[in-house]
Amino acid sequence: MPDTQTEPLLTSLAHGGGCGCKIAPNVLADILSEMPLVAGNTNLIVDAATSDDAAVYRVNDTTALVATTDFFTPIVDDPHTFGRIAATNALSDVFAMGATPIFCLAIVGMPIGKISNDTIRAILAGGQSVAETAGAPIAGGHSIDAAEPIYGLVAMGLVHPDKLLLNSGAKAGDVLVLGKPLGVGIYSAALKRGIIEDADYAEMIASTTRLNTPGSDLAGMAGVHAATDVTGFGLLGHLSEMCRGAGLGGVIEADRVPVFAGARRLAEAGVKTGASGRNWDSVKESVRLERTLSDSELDILCDPQTSGGLLISCSPDAVDRVLAAFARHGHTDAAVVGRMESAKAGVRVV
């Protein structure tokens, strides 16, 4: 068994990291194109048809069960922090549906013999600490000996069926609010290259370990019509899914999108992930650029976010209440980034 002082860095054992290792959306769509959708169960009120954040099963008239899973390879080298980020990211899909988490199961794949038991134990402890903070203890799970380190959760939550937040419920004229700045993928790329500054690393960790708890408060709030979380497909990718679900167009006001200052600086220096290009290839046919964007600005809009922010579609008169809900939960960088419009499903960047 390797010594914790001499074993390889976690990120060196993975070909990608965080949500940047997700299968590109166009490739995933092709893989799933001939898979039949679930039919015949009226209690399964959300399935894969709208690419929503979780599946939802109606238990009774007042309770629905939200179920989701998310896991990935290391985005950082510190094992405890990796566990915290992975757990925060997995729980985000529950919050994005407006639900309250109740318990989790762990998904663990580790290269036994390449990293120590102490390292694996620290990863699990990091995830457990976040799950318990969210009120959703890890009740069990499954583990395998894998070529790359993989960790994540199956997360369960409860919500009233009438308060469920879907990614398909946006209405024309809605305002779009983003809960966290963009740039996590760029930071993770800089980390792997050994060029990230201490302040930027601290900023990345603070964001990726901040639970998207505002989602529970936004469920049932008057004027809040739709929600999703921005993760591996980037802002343009996840907004495109929201547009397809609602049959509407989306508008991103590029100058209003919050971006970590360090990530913008790194992007302008050419730092990016391989996933940002794949994300752009997946959406470019449905995205219209109505202003000139530099390569770095486009990379930021396609940057894969690990444990990214919630994207909320709400009526204009609900914006102040939505921003106040984000602020109550410590999401002080939440900002209006665009709007929904009556148009063919697609995204305009202005």
Side-chain angles (χ1 to χ4, degrees):
M1 181 62 63
D3 185 272
T4 54
Q5 301 300 314
T6 60
E7 65 186 80
L9 297 176
L10 285 176
T11 55
S12 72
L13 295 171
H15 72 286
C19 288
C21 63
K22 289 177 71 169
I23 296 174
N26 58 336
V27 176
L28 183 60
D30 181 64
I31 292 170
L32 298 177
S33 61
E34 297 182 15
M35 296 289 292
L37 295 175
V38 177
N41 191 328
T42 57
N43 287 322
L44 188 62
I45 55 180
V46 179
D47 60 15
T50 57
S51 302
D52 220 320
D53 296 296
V56 183
Y57 186 88
R58 185 192 303 272
V59 178
N60 53 45
D61 289 344
T62 60
T63 305
L65 176 67
V66 174
T68 182
T69 184
D70 214 315
F71 53 90
F72 47 62
T73 53
I75 187 174
V76 294
D77 291 312
D78 179 72
H80 192 270
T81 303
F82 169 41
R84 290 172 63 210
I85 294 171
T88 306
N89 180 75
L91 286 159
S92 181
D93 286 337
V94 174
F95 291 120
M97 304 298 290
T100 299
I102 53 172
F103 76 93
C104 302
L105 302 172
I107 298 170
V108 182
M110 294 292 155
I112 303 300
K114 292 184 179 179
I115 59 177
S116 67
N117 288 351
D118 285 344
T119 294
I120 298 170
R121 191 176 296 113
I123 293 170
L124 301 185
Q128 183 177 6
S129 69
V130 167
E132 290 181 351
T133 296
I138 297 174
H142 186 67
S143 61
I144 63 169
D145 187 348
E148 296 182 313
I150 296 170
Y151 179 69
L153 301 177
V154 175
M156 305 285 188
L158 297 177
V159 65
H160 193 292
D162 295 340
K163 296 182 178 181
L164 190 63
L165 292 176
L166 305 178
N167 69 353
S168 57
K171 300 181 184 298
D174 275 358
V175 174
L176 294 170
V177 177
L178 179 63
K180 293 181 183 181
L182 302 181
V184 170
I186 294 164
Y187 275 158
S188 66
L191 174 64
K192 291 200 76 166
R193 290 171 55 176
I195 59 173
I196 193 169
E197 296 182 5
D198 289 346
D200 295 339
Y201 178 78
E203 190 170 56
M204 180 181 78
I205 302 308
S207 179
T208 54
T209 58
R210 183 177 298 120
L211 288 161
N212 275 324
T213 47
S216 299
D217 278 2
L218 295 171
M221 181 181 290
V224 175
H225 299 140
T228 190
D229 60 340
V230 178
T231 54
F233 299 157
L235 176 59
L236 291 183
H238 289 284
L239 177 55
S240 294
E241 290 181 338
M242 184 178 280
C243 290
R244 284 194 297 273
L248 297 173
V251 179
I252 288 294
E253 300 175 45
D255 289 340
R256 303 184 74 176
V257 176
V259 181
F260 292 119
R264 190 183 296 279
R265 183 186 68 252
L266 287 162
E268 290 172 351
V271 178
K272 61 181 179 179
T273 71
S276 61
R278 297 193 296 273
N279 285 343
W280 173 243
D281 287 342
S282 296
V283 300
K284 64 183 179 183
E285 298 301 321
S286 61
V287 174
R288 191 162 73 246
L289 302 179
E290 298 187 357
R291 57 168 290 173
T292 300
L293 293 179
S294 66
D295 289 344
S296 63
E297 289 172 323
L298 185 58
D299 285 334
I300 288 168
L301 294 179
C302 296
D303 188 50
Q305 303 306 289
T306 298
S307 191
L310 297 178
L311 181 63
I312 305 298
S313 181
C314 65
S315 60
D317 61 3
V319 170
D320 288 345
R321 294 194 301 274
V322 169
L323 291 174
F326 276 110
R328 282 197 302 273
H329 291 262
H331 293 246
T332 55
D333 292 319
V336 172
V337 297
R339 62 188 183 275
M340 301 295 291
E341 60 182 8
S342 298
K344 182 175 67 175
V347 178
R348 297 192 296 122
V349 180
V350 301

